Amino acid sequence: KATTFNDCIMRGTNLWNCKMQNASPDETKTTRFLNCDMNAAQFSGSNLANVDFTGSNLQGCEFGELRFQNGQIISTIFSRATNFTNAQLQNTTFKGCIGLESHDFTGLNFAGAAFSNHTDLNGCIFRGCNIEGATFQNAIIMNCDFTGCIFL
């Protein structure tokens, strides 16, 4: 069964090294954080495969060393203080997200990721990222640096 946090206030919550993954994208077994205020929550080292953060506030969250494959990040709010150092974000959907502009994503794995619905990536640094199979559709990608990226 799915674990769902709906309209919760979870500011500063420590979720380090949690296992919220599901071996398959089975909708009935997905962990969901829907419309949650998770400002400054700590997710470092967690495995969040197939987790859904639709409509949540992830400003200032710590996602370092995170495994977040096949996740849904839709209409979600980030900030410059949100940290993605060494995160694995393969096949993750970023749709209609705000607050990602000017982030330094150097060396991250975005293989198969999708950025759409005006997700603002203006001024982001993607140096050395794996973006093989990634899709950028109706995303804002002005003044970005893709030096040394893996495209194929």
Side-chain angles (χ1 to χ4, degrees), residues 41-143:
Q42 304 291 313
F43 290 93
S44 294
S46 293
N47 187 338
L48 305 180
N50 301 310
V51 172
D52 184 348
F53 283 105
T54 296
S56 292
N57 174 359
L58 301 179
Q59 294 181 69
C61 286
E62 176 63 49
F63 292 115
E65 306 290 333
L66 174 78
R67 294 187 66 212
F68 188 67
Q69 291 95 353
N70 304 309
Q72 298 290 316
I73 303 177
I74 301 171
S75 300
T76 301
I77 303 168
F78 294 92
S79 69
R80 293 271 302 147
T82 304
N83 181 10
F84 293 96
T85 304
N86 296 319
Q88 300 293 314
L89 301 159
Q90 300 97 309
N91 301 308
T92 296
T93 299
F94 295 87
K95 186 175 181 179
C97 296
I98 61 172
L100 290 174
E101 59 275 359
S102 299
H103 266 75
D104 184 348
F105 295 120
T106 298
L108 299 187
N109 188 345
F110 288 108
F115 299 90
S116 64
N117 287 48
H118 306 287
T119 292
D120 190 351
L121 302 170
N122 186 34
C124 287
I125 300 169
F126 290 94
R127 287 185 201 131
C129 287
N130 180 351
I131 56 172
E132 181 178 358
T135 304
F136 296 85
Q137 183 174 350
N138 295 320
I140 302 167
I141 53 173
M142 300 182 300
N143 303 308

